[in-house]
Amino acid sequence: MRFADFNLPSYIMLGLEKQGIYEPTEIQELTIPLIREGRDVIGKSQTGSGKTYAFAIPLIENIDVDDRSTQVLIVCPTRELAGQVTDEIRKLTSMRESCKVVPIFGGSDMERQIKALKSGARIVVGTPGRIIDHLNRRTLKLKNVRTVVLDEADEMLNMGFKEDVENILKASNPYRQTVMFSATMPRAILEITSLYMTDSVLVETAETDKNASIDQYYLNVGLRDKTPALIDLIKDNNTSIAIVFCNTRKMVESLTTQLVEAGIDARGLHGEMRQSERRKVMASIKSGDTRVLVATDVAARGIDIHGVDVVYNYDIPQKTEYYTHRIGRTARAGRTGVAYTLINTKYQLDQLQAIHRDTDNVIGEYVCKYSVKREASLRATRGGGSHTRPNERGGDKHSSVRRDKSPHKPTRMDRYKQEGRYKSQPTYMQYDYEDRPSRRGARRDDVREDRKGSSYNGSDTFRRSTKRYGEYSPKTRAQSKGKSSSRDKIKTTSKPTNKKAKPTSYHIPTKSGGKRRK
Ligand code: AMP
C-alpha cells in the first residue's frame, strides 16, 4: 500500500514526499482509516513504528482552519517528545496556512505560550503539567476540542501523571474522539480506556515486536570496570550515534565527564537541566555534532534520533518497560541496531533474567577483557554462587544467555526439611499476612479481598521474600507483559471493545463522512 491510496490532501502528500516517505508503516495503515472514521483508537505501538504520523495525518486532514479554536490536543509525557511531535506535525502542515501547531511545556516562556494560544492554536501539543496550568489560567480551552491524543500513555502514567491526564480528559469536550498510543497495556491504562473512551478499537501490530531486529547483549563486569568496559565498547563499535542510559541524574553527569575525559564526544541529558540546555544537547545530537548521548529515561523518553546504532544500558533499567523503550531508540524505521546492558551484581543478573522472560528477547553474553568470573562475583554478592559460567566458547565474544545451575548447595531450608521443621508456607508469609498491617495501610480483610482477584500480595518486599530466584508467578508475568485480567479484558485486534453503556447516543459527523457514537 502507498500513501497515495489514502487520497490525502496535496499538502500532506508533499510534506511526506519531502521526507522520502511514500509507504505507510503497519500501524499507519491500520489506524489512519479508523481515526478518520472518528473511532476511539488504542494503538499498541512503540516510538519508531511511525505512530506520530499514524495519528497526525488523519487529524491534520480534519482540521477546520476557519475555526480558530483548539481542535486537537496531543498530550505527551516529556518536553522532548512534545517538541518532536510538534516538529513532525509542522513538516506536514507547513504548506497549510492557518493550521497552527503550538507546543506548550514547562521550561519555556509562559507569556509566549499564552500569546501563541491566543493567536488561534488549532493543534496543541503539550505535557500534562503545563496543560493543566493553562487550563487553570483559562488560557487553553478544550470545549471545542475534537480529538485528544494520549501519546506514550503508559509512560505518562508511570511518571505519575494519571490524575493530570484524567483532569485533562474531564476538561475536554465530552463528545471528543480519544486516541491513545502505548507500548504496553498495564491495568492503569485499561482503566483509562474503560472510563474515558467509547467504542474503542485496539490496534496491535507485528511491529510491536521490533526488538527482534535489535541484537541484545549483556556484559557481566565488576563495578569499577563498568566505565572502562563501556569506553572500550564505544570505541570498538565506532558508531555514528549511541545513547547511554543511566538511572540517575548524578550518574549521567559523572559518566559524561568520564567519557569526555576518555576522548569520547559525549553530552548528558537529564530532567533537571534547563530547557534551553536540553534543546541545545538534542540539536547537537540530531545534527551529528555529538556522537554519544548520556541520558536518563525521563529525558530520552520517546525521542527520535535518526541513526542511533547502539544503545548502552550503563545501569540496568528498573522495569522491563524501560528496557523495551530504551533499546527501542535504535533499529528505528526498519533499521537494525545493537543494545548492551552492563550488570555488576547477581541481583542485576536476576533483573536481566526477568527482562529476558518478559520480553522473550534473546540476550547473549558479551565477553570482554573486563568480564568477571561469575562464580567468584556471585559468592561476593550473595554468599554462594548459584550459577556456573554459561558457555566457555573461547575466542567467541558472544555466547548464549542460557546457563545451567551449579550443583545445589544445601541451604538452611534443606536442613529444616531434613529435620522435619519445614512448613509448606513460609513463616514470614504467615506473619505478614495475619498479623502485620499491609504496607498499603489496608486491614487484614482488605488484604485478603485484594488477593482474591489479583496476584498483588500487599508488599513488594514481601513478594520478593517469598520467591526464589527463577520462580515467576504466571499471573504476575501476564500482568507485566501488559495482558489484562479477565475483568478488564479488551478484545483483540481491530474489534470494538465491550464498553460501558452510556445513557445517550450522539453522532458527530467527521470530515470523511464517518460517524462516531458517544
Ligand atoms: P515515530 O514512531 O512517530 O517516532 O516515528 C519514527 C520515525 O519514522 C520518524 O522519524 C518518522 O519521520 C519516520 N516515519 C514515519 N512514518 C514513516 C513511514 N511511513 N516510512 C518511513 N519512515 C517513517
Side-chain angles (χ1 to χ4, degrees):
M1 185 179 192
R2 294 176 74 79
F3 272 113
D5 300 329
F6 279 128
N7 286 327
L8 294 168
S10 55
Y11 61 88
I12 292 184
M13 287 304 289
L14 272 170
L16 290 170
E17 279 164 22
K18 266 191 185 170
Q19 299 174 68
I21 297 177
Y22 299 95
E23 287 176 10
T25 61
E26 206 181 341
I27 192 83
Q28 290 165 351
E29 198 176 323
L30 290 169
T31 48
I32 289 175
L34 291 165
I35 297 176
R36 264 180 161 180
E37 276 177 31
R39 295 288 299 269
D40 282 358
V41 174
I42 307 158
K44 192 162 180 240
S45 174
Q46 297 169 5
T47 36
S49 58
K51 68 178 171 59
T52 311
Y53 283 165
F55 64 76
I57 290 173
L59 297 182
I60 294 169
E61 184 191 29
N62 221 7
I63 292 286
D64 177 1
V65 284
D66 298 328
D67 177 358
R68 285 174 54 82
S69 57
T70 299
Q71 296 160 46
V72 172
L73 174 73
I74 301 163
V75 194
C76 303
T78 64
R79 299 164 184 186
E80 275 73 22
L81 185 60
Q84 193 176 287
V85 168
T86 308
D87 293 344
E88 292 277 306
I89 294 178
R90 280 182 178 156
K91 285 180 198 159
L92 302 187
T93 55
S94 59
M95 267 175 278
R96 195 181 187 201
E97 244 177 81
S98 310
C99 189
K100 203 168 170 185
V101 191
V102 173
I104 52 168
F105 44 78
S108 24
D109 184 39
M110 188 57 139
E111 289 310 312
R112 205 183 310 154
Q113 281 177 14
I114 293 173
K115 223 168 142 188
L117 287 171
K118 271 190 185 157
S119 68
R122 283 17 173 227
I123 303 175
V124 172
V125 188
T127 48
R130 189 51 74 101
I131 293 172
I132 293 283
D133 205 348
H134 279 287
L135 286 173
N136 289 339
R137 289 166 185 252
R138 296 180 195 282
T139 43
L140 172 67
K141 292 181 187 94
L142 300 176
K143 288 233 161 58
N144 292 330
V145 82
R146 292 182 187 187
T147 310
V148 174
V149 181
L150 304 178
D151 197 5
E152 309 218 341
D154 51 346
E155 183 58 12
M156 271 193 291
L157 302 195
N158 271 340
M159 290 166 75
F161 287 132
K162 185 163 189 260
E163 208 178 311
D164 283 351
V165 168
E166 288 188 309
N167 287 335
I168 291 166
L169 291 171
K170 281 177 198 158
S172 309
N173 174 2
Y175 312 133
R176 67 176 187 272
Q177 174 187 33
T178 312
V179 174
M180 173 193 278
F181 279 86
S182 185
T184 56
M185 289 287 153
R187 181 175 287 259
I189 291 281
L190 295 167
E191 274 168 23
I192 297 245
T193 59
S194 65
L195 285 172
Y196 300 97
M197 293 176 93
T198 315
D199 192 20
S200 57
V201 191
L202 172 66
V203 179
E204 207 172 342
T205 66
E207 282 173 3
T208 309
D209 193 24
K210 80 171 189 97
N211 286 357
S213 54
I214 305 171
D215 288 337
Q216 298 164 54
Y217 302 106
Y218 74 96
L219 282 86
N220 189 27
V221 294
L223 179 63
R224 285 193 190 158
D225 291 331
K226 273 177 91 177
T227 309
L230 176 73
I231 290 170
D232 276 9
L233 265 183
I234 294 175
K235 288 185 174 170
D236 282 357
N237 274 310
N238 194 24
T239 47
S240 45
I241 298 177
I243 304 185
V244 183
F245 282 97
C246 300
N247 288 352
T248 62
R249 173 179 61 88
K250 246 184 165 168
M251 188 44 83
V252 164
E253 283 173 353
S254 95
L255 186 62
T256 309
T257 312
Q258 292 177 73
L259 294 183
V260 170
E261 279 168 3
I264 293 168
D265 188 10
R267 292 190 73 169
L269 185 76
H270 58 73
E272 284 183 36
M273 282 163 62
R274 279 208 315 274
Q275 188 55 30
S276 54
E277 269 179 81
R278 283 164 73 160
R279 223 178 278 134
K280 269 187 213 158
V281 173
M282 286 303 296
S284 136
I285 288 279
K286 286 189 173 179
S287 67
D289 288 346
T290 301
R291 249 173 19 92
V292 177
L293 177 71
V294 187
T296 54
D297 290 284
V298 170
R301 174 73 207 196
I303 55 173
D304 176 36
I305 302 171
H306 280 283
V308 176
D309 311 281
V310 189
V311 168
Y312 302 99
N313 289 316
Y314 182 81
D315 293 324
I316 188 165
Q318 297 306 303
K319 286 185 180 177
T320 300
E321 281 160 71
Y322 290 175
Y323 180 84
T324 307
H325 285 302
R326 283 181 180 188
I327 69 169
R329 301 308 95 209
T330 182
R332 295 167 82 78
R335 296 169 59 135
T336 55
V338 190
Y340 296 92
T341 302
L342 284 86
I343 54 167
N344 62 284
T345 63
K346 165 71 171 60
Y347 178 64
Q348 290 175 4
L349 185 65
D350 289 355
Q351 288 179 299
L352 191 71
Q353 193 76 19
I355 290 171
H356 165 59
R357 273 199 217 96
D358 290 350
T359 58
D360 272 343
N361 291 174
V362 176
I363 310 173
E365 184 174 11
Y366 183 95
V367 181
C368 67
K369 69 178 182 192
Y370 299 104
S371 293
V372 292
K373 286 221 185 282
R374 188 169 295 110
E375 290 262 327
S377 73
L378 290 183
R379 215 167 280 133
T381 52
R382 275 237 179 146
S386 59
H387 296 93
T388 53
R389 196 167 181 74
N391 254 325
E392 298 283 9
R393 286 199 273 146
D396 187 358
K397 276 180 174 181
H398 305 130
S399 60
S400 162
V401 75
R402 283 176 226 292
R403 48 184 85 92
D404 307 317
K405 290 205 168 183
S406 64
H408 185 60
K409 198 178 157 193
T411 61
R412 189 157 25 146
M413 189 65 81
D414 293 328
R415 215 178 58 234
Y416 281 5
K417 273 185 191 166
Q418 271 177 2
E419 293 167 8
R421 287 161 62 194
Y422 176 74
K423 291 182 188 141
S424 60
Q425 210 168 21
T427 41
Y428 177 54
M429 184 171 172
Q430 286 170 351
Y431 175 72
D432 191 46
Y433 183 55
E434 299 294 344
D435 306 323
R436 288 199 332 189
S438 118
R439 233 180 34 185
R440 302 161 79 211
R443 286 181 327 190
R444 211 186 311 158
D445 292 350
D446 300 332
V447 175
R448 280 214 185 98
E449 200 55 40
D450 243 324
R451 290 170 138 214
K452 271 186 202 159
S454 77
S455 65
Y456 181 70
N457 53 22
S459 144
D460 290 342
T461 36
F462 164 60
R463 183 184 300 157
R464 229 176 277 134
S465 74
T466 57
K467 272 190 207 310
R468 278 183 297 124
Y469 169 72
E471 285 181 358
Y472 217 88
S473 108
K475 198 135 195 190
T476 311
R477 185 174 174 200
Q479 283 174 342
S480 65
K481 274 192 156 191
K483 286 179 189 158
S484 52
S485 72
S486 57
R487 198 155 51 92
D488 14 57
K489 195 152 193 146
I490 279 193
K491 290 250 160 108
T492 50
T493 317
S494 301
K495 287 217 173 112
T497 53
N498 279 337
K499 300 300 304 171
K500 282 187 181 171
K502 295 228 170 167
T504 41
S505 218
Y506 299 88
H507 294 279
I508 300 180
T510 61
K511 203 176 173 192
S512 57
K515 288 174 191 275
R516 73 178 283 268
R517 283 197 359 243
K518 195 256 158 197

